[in-house]
Amino acid sequence: MTKHLLLLTCAVGAISGGAGIGAAAAADTTSPSATEVGAVIVTAEKRQQNIQKVPVAVTAFTTKQRDLVGIENLQDMTNFTPGLVYSSVLDRVTLRGVGRQTNLLSADAAVTTYVDGFFTTSAVEASKPPMFVSNIEVLRGPQGTLQGRNAIGGALLVTTARPSSTPHSEARVTVGNYGYSDVEAYVTGPIADGLNFRLQGYTTHQTEGYFKNLAGGPTEGNVLDQYYIEPSISAKLGDHADLYVKAFTADWNNRGGPGARSDYTTGNADTQLNGAGLSYNFNPGAAFNPLESVPGSLVQAGVPITNNPTLLNIHDFATTDPLTVKLRNTYDIDTEFTYHFPGFDIKYTGGFQSYKYDLNLGAVGGGTTSVPGDVISFQTCGLSGVCFAGPLTIFPNINYHYQENNQWFSHEITVASTGNGAFQWIGGLYYYDEHYSNPIVTTNPSQPQMTNPIYPYAGAAPANPNNWISYDNYIMETRSEAAYGQIDWKFTDTLKFTLGGRYTEDHKDGTEFNRVVLFGGQIVQGLPFSVYNAFVNPSFYGNGAKAVDLTPNTIFGNPLACLPYAGVTSPCKTNPINGITSRGLGADFSSPTGTAGIEWTPTSDILAYARYSRGYKSGGFDAGTIASDPEVAPEHVNAYEVGYKQTFGRNLVVDADLYYYDFQDAQYVVSVFVPNFGPEGLLTNIPKARVDGFELESIWTPVDHLQFDLSYSLNDTSVQSDCTATISGGVTTPHGLCLEDTSDPLGLSPHARTVIPAGSLLPTGLSTVALQTIKGNQLPNAPRNKIALNGNYTFVFDAGSLTLSATAIWRDQQYGSVFKEPYDVAPSWSQVDLRAVWKAPDDKYEIIAYGRNVFNTVGYEAAAGGGIISTNNSGGYTQNNLYGINPPATYGIEVHYKFF
């Protein structure tokens, strides 16, 4: 299928010079102008402009486009937006290789989302139903001048459908396989002269998930039970002022959405008692190892499963702890107020938003481990097989509970010229204040030893009544202030110059909290093997084995973690009642950014431009784990872009651009060498990377009622920072970016690029891991090639019109980490979607039949990286792949009806 798709793409490209959905609005093929390409109005530069007149790379999606092609959500938009990648399970957006690589709230997003100009912390709102928005714009490249908060990678601009002075009402009902149903409706009209309202909302349900639980529990993966309600008003306040106020509330009670099951792991289950998959607990997979479990002791739920369920079917899993995703206390109110003065406008945009997100799942069998999660209990005497004190009973039901509690205010004042002269200007002030906490709690509720842990060689630790394995949290505030301005000067009839600047100050501060309790698992940094043998080893102690509070070791064993360091504002202190250690964090970050460019319009149908942009993303913190070196520096990018946009008559639009990024201090979670300590997993900076590429979008209507759309991107990324070493007196000193691949700690992979082998003597002591260079490696979630092609034809009858639409998608392989290993890569994939739209001649109703992923191919929304799946006593290990996959084949019917 991939071969046929590429041949078809080349054929269309040869005929038309290319075709792409975001370049202009899809033509309404039921109208007399069916062969024409219509205009799209965007606000990429805070002014309403034809997309073909805007000297930036932008893709726009209107309601008509989305209905015609079947673009329901942000994941669909990635197919028709060059360079765009989105992980719906992690809610992370990447544009041209620049994106968010962690869900820490103390680290900012690289691609920001604005709804009616109001900043929101999640990209979920960019998936609003087509009927609820007028258009969605994807701005590619740094938005370091005009857009609210700084956006180093790009921005998603969502413009909601506004209240109308003419009464309208429409309802849409969708039913599909897997028990999917969706009901959407809106009503709008006047309340009084100059005062209009709109009320819209939806309720969505899916009763059957894409993944089957072999342990007998409910299915998971896109199981939905959610609603959304949004009222809004617009008012004309005299002759010079306009007011728009919108609010919404939403609620989820799902086994779908961000955080829900959408991935699977490869490889056999790890069956070692101290397995690689769990750092602080005994491995439930040992229940199936006759050398490490007592015969006949296994208690298992559901169908007996002894290995990774996905080996037979990637949509199977096994857990006794079903996953839930809840969204509560979600409220928003935001407003726009504009006053029109002669020659300029003053506009205020601001509001408040809050939410509480709750993800709860079984950590074993929860999608990120290949071990079946239906083991209730088993007994072990350890690897020796000899129980000196009787066997130890293991209860491996581990629960993972992730929460986000977030609220923020955003305020912006913009002053912009409104005349038609050669000189235009815009300036503004921005303020943002966010308060958040992020409790992440892992528990072993049934293991009695967890309740009363001990300190190594120091007696009883504080009680652990909730059986915490780990408690990570941070309570913080982020404030951001900025001032910006931009001028546009058309100094000849065909040439225009743009210059913009911005200065931003960010402040982050708060307190982080951590406690770690070990009962088995891999021996971690700061805990000698002797401690395991002294307190935990089941061969020696049986049911008398002790849980060990590692908080003093993982924290105080690190000489930097609790000493004054960049970003640390108060020393560590441990609560004697609950055993939690806390530490203060805080820092200020600031940067100037801006843009400069020139555009050439030799005719009204041609725009050529060259542009430089400086992007910035605030520094942040590796918060919640009391890590050494918790502060991460800001990111910067110098972006250079040239573009060309041309409209050929009324039937063809072509937009193309070339870009180059000098990407500095990209923020990634990696295991890096820390001076005076050694390798440690941290949110840290990669000093230098390069990004360059080519993008093409176009739309072509060669004959009446026939339309082709094409979107293509070539995105080449490369880490430029290196790792070197010097040796003096037998001591090896690392220099530069020297990383441990935690999935290959000894550097045994044939692809490993080891600079400092394991066993080398470092200034901090003997290194137990290999340190590698990643210079030349591809950035994560940045597929080199990405293409989407849509073709649709409309048959016009007296009784109505029928549009048949087909979309073919192909995406290159992409890596989930900065290491170029087979266990970190998601393969290339392709997908075909089909759609048929029947429209009544008076536009009163529409009936849509759709099939998505009709050939049921496996597609990968993003690469998630791999990990060690098992180790052996000789020191070797094997790895697995962790894949986030797209939904299987789905189909259904939509009915749209306009009441008035």
Side-chain angles (χ1 to χ4, degrees):
M1 182 267 162
T2 301
K3 177 180 178 182
H4 293 158
L5 170 61
L6 292 175
L7 289 174
L8 179 57
T9 300
C10 292
V12 173
I15 296 172
S16 68
I21 197 167
D28 182 354
T29 51
T30 64
S31 70
S33 57
T35 61
E36 296 181 357
V37 177
V40 171
I41 303 301
V42 296
T43 57
E45 298 206 305
K46 288 190 178 289
R47 301 178 187 275
Q48 291 193 344
Q49 296 172 279
N50 186 318
I51 193 172
Q52 294 303 107
K53 306 297 183 183
V54 179
V56 295
V58 55
T59 300
F61 299 91
T62 66
T63 298
K64 285 186 177 182
Q65 286 174 290
R66 294 176 65 187
D67 285 341
L68 181 68
V69 180
I71 299 173
E72 298 294 332
N73 50 47
L74 181 56
Q75 191 60 251
D76 295 335
M77 294 177 204
T78 67
N79 298 326
F80 280 97
T81 304
L84 180 64
V85 174
Y86 178 60
S87 170
S88 58
V89 67
L90 296 174
D91 190 31
R92 298 181 190 171
V93 184
T94 302
L95 258 174
R96 295 175 171 175
V98 179
R100 187 176 192 174
Q101 304 299 326
T102 175
N103 279 61
L104 284 166
L105 301 180
S106 51
D108 295 344
V111 181
T112 55
T113 303
Y114 300 88
V115 182
D116 297 320
F118 176 73
F119 173 82
T120 181
T121 61
S122 170
V124 170
E125 287 197 63
S127 293
K128 279 188 173 183
M131 187 172 66
F132 288 9
V133 303
S134 59
N135 72 343
I136 296 176
E137 303 166 38
V138 183
L139 278 58
R140 306 192 295 278
Q143 305 301 311
T145 304
L146 298 179
Q147 301 300 332
R149 294 205 71 193
N150 270 287
I152 193 170
L156 309 175
L157 310 185
V158 181
T159 303
T160 57
R162 298 300 176 95
S164 172
S165 60
T166 304
H168 296 288
S169 181
E170 182 177 351
R172 297 185 174 189
V173 177
T174 304
V175 293
N177 58 336
Y178 293 98
Y180 179 82
S181 65
D182 178 69
V183 178
E184 306 168 7
Y186 81 87
V187 60
T188 184
I191 300 174
D193 187 30
L195 179 63
N196 306 314
F197 83 98
R198 184 179 177 104
L199 177 64
Q200 56 192 22
Y202 66 80
T203 177
T204 304
H205 300 270
Q206 183 167 313
T207 58
E208 182 182 353
Y210 303 140
F211 296 84
K212 180 181 179 181
N213 190 346
L214 300 184
T219 59
E220 296 181 14
N222 211 51
V223 175
L224 304 174
D225 178 10
Q226 58 191 42
Y227 72 81
Y228 177 92
I229 300 172
E230 179 187 293
S232 61
I233 61 169
S234 64
K236 186 73 174 176
L237 306 179
D239 294 333
H240 302 290
D242 301 308
L243 176 68
Y244 172 67
V245 180
K246 178 181 93 271
F248 75 75
T249 184
D251 185 275
W252 296 353
N253 186 19
N254 295 345
R255 291 193 300 279
R261 184 180 303 279
S262 68
D263 50 27
Y264 77 96
T265 53
T266 62
N268 294 305
D270 182 3
T271 60
Q272 291 189 108
L273 184 62
N274 287 303
L278 300 171
S279 296
Y280 301 114
N281 290 84
F282 289 117
N283 177 21
F288 311 111
N289 184 343
L291 299 178
E292 301 205 59
S293 64
V294 175
S297 66
L298 172 63
V299 179
Q300 191 172 15
V303 180
I305 304 166
T306 62
N307 206 342
N308 181 2
T310 67
L311 293 178
L312 298 178
N313 188 328
I314 64 174
H315 289 98
D316 284 347
F317 69 102
T319 183
T320 56
D321 193 357
L323 178 150
T324 61
V325 177
K326 298 183 184 296
L327 192 67
R328 299 285 188 267
N329 297 341
T330 305
Y331 304 108
D332 169 276
I333 182 165
D334 55 88
T335 185
E336 289 182 6
F337 175 78
T338 305
Y339 195 90
H340 307 284
F341 289 91
F344 68 95
D345 286 350
I346 295 181
K347 181 179 181 180
Y348 166 79
T349 303
F352 167 82
Q353 192 172 129
S354 68
Y355 70 85
K356 291 187 176 181
Y357 171 86
D358 189 293
L359 169 67
N360 201 304
L361 73 152
V364 180
T368 58
T369 171
S370 59
V371 176
D374 62 343
V375 176
I376 296 174
S377 67
F378 68 97
Q379 293 182 326
T380 182
C381 294
L383 182 61
S384 69
V386 179
C387 293
F388 296 103
L392 170 65
T393 302
I394 303 294
F395 298 90
N397 182 20
I398 299 170
N399 178 263
Y400 177 81
H401 191 192
Y402 176 97
Q403 300 176 73
E404 293 181 6
N405 305 298
N406 205 348
Q407 62 180 35
W408 64 93
F409 294 89
S410 177
H411 305 282
E412 184 172 9
I413 296 176
T414 304
V415 184
S417 62
T418 56
N420 296 318
F423 186 81
Q424 300 291 323
W425 53 268
I426 186 171
L429 300 172
Y430 181 76
Y431 178 79
Y432 177 79
D433 190 7
E434 178 184 12
H435 294 259
Y436 49 91
S437 65
N438 187 196
I440 306 172
V441 183
T442 307
T443 59
N444 190 344
S446 302
Q447 194 71 48
Q449 289 85 351
M450 298 293 296
T451 307
N452 295 291
I454 63 170
Y455 285 135
Y457 307 112
N464 185 24
N466 297 311
N467 282 20
W468 286 337
I469 298 168
S470 63
Y471 175 86
D472 306 329
N473 191 16
Y474 47 93
I475 301 173
M476 299 189 71
E477 178 185 11
T478 294
R479 296 191 305 275
S480 182
E481 301 95 17
Y484 59 84
Q486 180 172 303
I487 60 171
D488 296 279
W489 177 34
K490 191 170 185 178
F491 57 94
T492 75
D493 290 340
T494 60
L495 293 172
K496 181 189 288 187
F497 173 73
T498 297
L499 180 66
R502 177 191 185 99
Y503 184 77
T504 303
E505 292 185 349
D506 294 300
H507 176 79
K508 297 182 179 182
D509 69 87
T511 305
E512 61 174 339
F513 308 87
N514 179 264
R515 188 181 187 185
V516 175
V517 178
L518 175 142
F519 191 64
Q522 291 292 291
I523 307 306
V524 297
Q525 190 81 33
L527 180 73
F529 191 75
S530 60
V531 173
Y532 174 80
N533 280 333
F535 301 105
V536 186
N537 194 327
S539 297
F540 301 154
Y541 300 105
N543 271 335
K546 302 293 186 181
V548 178
D549 191 321
L550 281 186
T551 310
N553 286 277
T554 56
I555 298 171
F556 299 120
N558 179 340
L560 294 184
C562 288
L563 297 177
Y565 207 75
V568 177
T569 58
S570 65
C572 295
K573 59 181 180 180
T574 299
N575 187 312
I577 304 301
N578 59 26
I580 295 174
T581 295
S582 61
R583 180 177 69 174
L585 300 174
D588 294 311
F589 310 96
S590 62
S591 180
T593 54
T595 188
I598 190 166
E599 56 188 278
W600 178 51
T601 53
T603 72
S604 61
D605 296 326
I606 295 176
L607 168 66
Y609 65 90
R611 195 145 189 163
Y612 163 79
S613 297
R614 170 77 167 172
Y616 155 81
K617 186 175 89 170
S618 171
F621 292 96
D622 191 346
T625 60
I626 317 289
S628 67
D629 199 8
E631 182 182 323
V632 62
E635 294 182 354
H636 288 91
V637 66
N638 293 308
Y640 307 87
E641 182 175 314
V642 293
Y644 183 85
K645 300 183 179 185
Q646 183 167 359
T647 303
F648 297 86
R650 302 291 295 174
N651 304 101
L652 174 65
V653 170
V654 175
D655 292 354
D657 61 77
L658 292 165
Y659 58 88
Y660 173 84
Y661 287 3
D662 172 20
F663 191 14
Q664 303 163 3
D665 292 320
Q667 298 169 7
Y668 290 94
V669 177
V670 292
S671 185
V672 65
F673 178 80
V674 178
N676 303 318
F677 177 51
E680 183 181 4
L682 293 172
L683 176 65
T684 191
N685 297 103
I686 293 179
K688 189 173 179 60
R690 172 193 54 77
V691 180
D692 55 66
F694 166 73
E695 297 168 335
L696 174 66
E697 295 180 281
S698 191
I699 183 169
W700 183 40
T701 56
V703 297
D704 284 356
H705 314 305
L706 176 64
Q707 180 176 286
F708 293 103
D709 303 287
L710 177 70
S711 172
Y712 170 74
S713 60
L714 168 66
N715 189 45
D716 186 57
T717 64
S718 175
V719 175
Q720 300 294 290
S721 300
D722 202 358
C723 168
T724 59
T726 56
I727 301 176
S728 176
V731 177
T732 302
T733 302
H735 304 284
L737 186 69
C738 299
L739 304 181
E740 174 205 356
D741 183 353
T742 55
S743 297
D744 182 23
L746 299 181
L748 301 180
S749 165
H751 305 280
R753 301 166 61 202
T754 300
V755 176
I756 302 174
S760 299
L761 182 61
L762 305 180
T764 57
L766 198 66
S767 176
T768 59
V769 301
L771 297 178
Q772 301 186 34
T773 180
I774 60 169
K775 184 176 181 180
N777 288 2
Q778 189 172 318
L779 294 178
N781 294 314
R784 181 176 172 82
N785 295 280
K786 192 158 72 77
I787 190 168
L789 175 67
N790 173 266
N792 60 81
Y793 187 84
T794 299
F795 302 88
V796 180
F797 309 98
D798 292 339
S801 64
L802 175 65
T803 300
L804 302 180
S805 173
T807 297
I809 302 155
W810 182 82
R811 189 173 299 186
D812 217 337
Q813 67 178 20
Q814 55 187 344
Y815 287 88
S817 86
V818 292
F819 292 95
K820 196 172 184 179
E821 295 283 358
Y823 47 80
D824 286 323
V825 66
S828 60
W829 58 274
S830 60
Q831 179 175 313
V832 173
D833 300 335
L834 300 176
R835 196 169 179 87
V837 181
W838 173 265
K839 180 181 290 188
D842 56 0
D843 203 26
K844 188 74 172 179
Y845 68 88
E846 290 182 349
I847 300 174
I848 300 173
Y850 66 86
R852 302 166 67 85
N853 191 14
V854 294
F855 296 119
N856 202 30
T857 56
V858 178
Y860 304 89
E861 66 167 29
I868 298 177
I869 194 170
S870 64
T871 59
N872 57 57
N873 297 321
S874 62
Y877 37 76
T878 58
Q879 292 89 4
N880 66 348
N881 290 85
L882 174 61
Y883 293 132
I885 57 176
N886 292 329
T890 57
Y891 53 84
I893 298 289
E894 299 179 32
V895 178
H896 305 173
Y897 187 82
K898 294 180 179 178
F899 295 97
F900 52 87

